[in-house]
Amino acid sequence: MIRLLFALSLGLMLFAAAGNADTLKDGVPNLSVIGEAYEDVAPDLAILRFGVVTERPLAADAAAENARAVEAILAELKKLGVPDAEVQTQGVTLAPVTVEERDPKTGKPKTSQKFFRARSDLSVRVTRTEKAGEIAGGLIDKGVNSFEGIDFEIAHPKQRLDALRREAVKDAERQAKIYAEAAGLRLSRVIEIRPLEEIDARPRAYAAKAAGAPGAAEIPLRPGLQRLSARVNMVWGLSR
């Protein structure tokens, strides 16, 4: 019996705690304000995404030549100072391809040609964004013939976001004081603090499509700025 009473008491306490904020808001005059803070930051990380595509009549030839091209690219990356740990294989495929030619008058198949396509996709993390264009140009010069683009990111945004969250709280308090004073009231206790951040709070990377010809020394790239932001909804009680 004692255990049953204890369980019932604990359940009532948890229920009361969950509804406490709503009860406070309903029971006293209150003010709800959204605070915001943001900062424009230069990205410090570039992610290059590229591939090598090789087509040959025989599967073994396509695979072997594709592997040689990838080895040349990996050697070039090492020469450019990119650590092995920053290079990742995204995919390797080998597949037959059949191309049919049709008679322009009848529309019927006239001839068909079969070959094999080998493809290797890689990504490279470049921690010195100013070198990204040079590295991209060097890769194209060494055999990259499928360049998917470049994503610019902020490598470690958590500390900056934490600082922005503090600023957002200060901004909410500043606004709340203005409203309360204008109405001849004072702020009392904080009733609720609710972050208004997306599920994925990481800064979104801007993709830059790059194209170049063999022998290109460097691809011109502009990382630009990315905006980090924080928003918070705060509710204060009001008193005279």
Side-chain angles (χ1 to χ4, degrees), residues 1 12 26 29 32 36 40 61 67 69 90 106 121 136 212 239:
M1 184 66 178
L12 288 171
D26 294 340
S32 176
E36 298 180 296
D40 292 326
D61 291 345
Q90 299 288 309
T106 64
D121 292 304
S239 61

Side-chain angles (χ1 to χ4, degrees), residues 6 17 23 50-52 54 59-60 65 83-84 104 111 113-114 119 124 149 155 161 215 217 224:
F6 176 76
T23 302
F50 57 89
V52 181
T54 308
E65 187 164 337
D84 291 342
T111 59
Q113 182 181 7
K114 183 178 180 180
R119 180 184 181 106
V124 177
L161 286 171

Side-chain angles (χ1 to χ4, degrees), residues 55-88:
E55 296 176 349
R56 292 292 180 270
L58 298 177
D61 291 345
E65 187 164 337
N66 190 267
R68 283 194 292 270
V70 171
E71 287 298 326
I73 288 166
L74 294 176
E76 180 66 13
L77 286 170
K78 185 170 290 187
K79 180 181 175 182
L80 291 169
V82 178
D84 291 342
E86 303 294 348
V87 184
Q88 185 179 62

Side-chain angles (χ1 to χ4, degrees), residues 48-240:
L48 285 65
R49 295 174 284 105
F50 57 89
V52 181
V53 181
T54 308
E55 296 176 349
R56 292 292 180 270
L58 298 177
D61 291 345
E65 187 164 337
N66 190 267
R68 283 194 292 270
V70 171
E71 287 298 326
I73 288 166
L74 294 176
E76 180 66 13
L77 286 170
K78 185 170 290 187
K79 180 181 175 182
L80 291 169
V82 178
D84 291 342
E86 303 294 348
V87 184
Q88 185 179 62
T89 299
Q90 299 288 309
V92 178
T93 59
L94 175 64
V97 179
T98 301
V99 178
E100 286 188 348
E101 291 186 9
R102 293 183 176 272
D103 190 310
K105 294 181 179 179
T106 64
K108 294 181 179 180
K110 187 172 60 173
T111 59
S112 63
Q113 182 181 7
K114 183 178 180 180
F115 57 89
F116 289 86
R117 177 180 295 150
R119 180 184 181 106
S120 297
D121 292 304
L122 300 97
S123 69
V124 177
R125 287 165 46 96
V126 181
T127 54
R128 295 175 59 190
T129 56
E130 72 277 5
K131 300 283 289 182
E134 177 187 346
I135 292 173
L139 295 178
I140 292 174
D141 191 31
K142 290 297 180 180
V144 167
N145 53 13
S146 175
F147 208 92
E148 302 303 322
I150 297 175
D151 293 337
F152 291 104
E153 298 182 0
I154 299 168
H156 303 289
K158 288 185 178 180
Q159 289 185 346
R160 293 179 183 272
L161 286 171
D162 285 346
L164 290 173
R165 291 176 182 119
R166 295 186 183 94
E167 291 300 319
V169 169
K170 292 179 182 179
D171 180 57
E173 185 176 10
R174 177 188 62 80
Q175 294 182 62
K177 286 180 178 178
I178 292 174
Y179 288 124
E181 291 173 1
L185 301 170
R186 293 185 302 170
L187 298 180
S188 59
R189 62 181 295 184
V190 175
I191 297 174
E192 183 179 11
I193 301 177
R194 183 161 54 91
L196 299 177
E197 298 180 75
E198 297 179 359
I199 295 176
D200 185 355
R202 294 175 300 173
R204 294 298 180 184
Y206 301 122
K209 291 293 183 181
E218 182 173 347
I219 295 177
L221 299 172
R222 297 294 181 269
L225 297 174
Q226 290 181 10
R227 175 159 293 188
L228 297 179
S229 63
R231 300 172 72 238
V232 63
N233 180 208
M234 297 186 66
V235 181
W236 278 269
L238 295 171
S239 61
R240 292 198 175 275

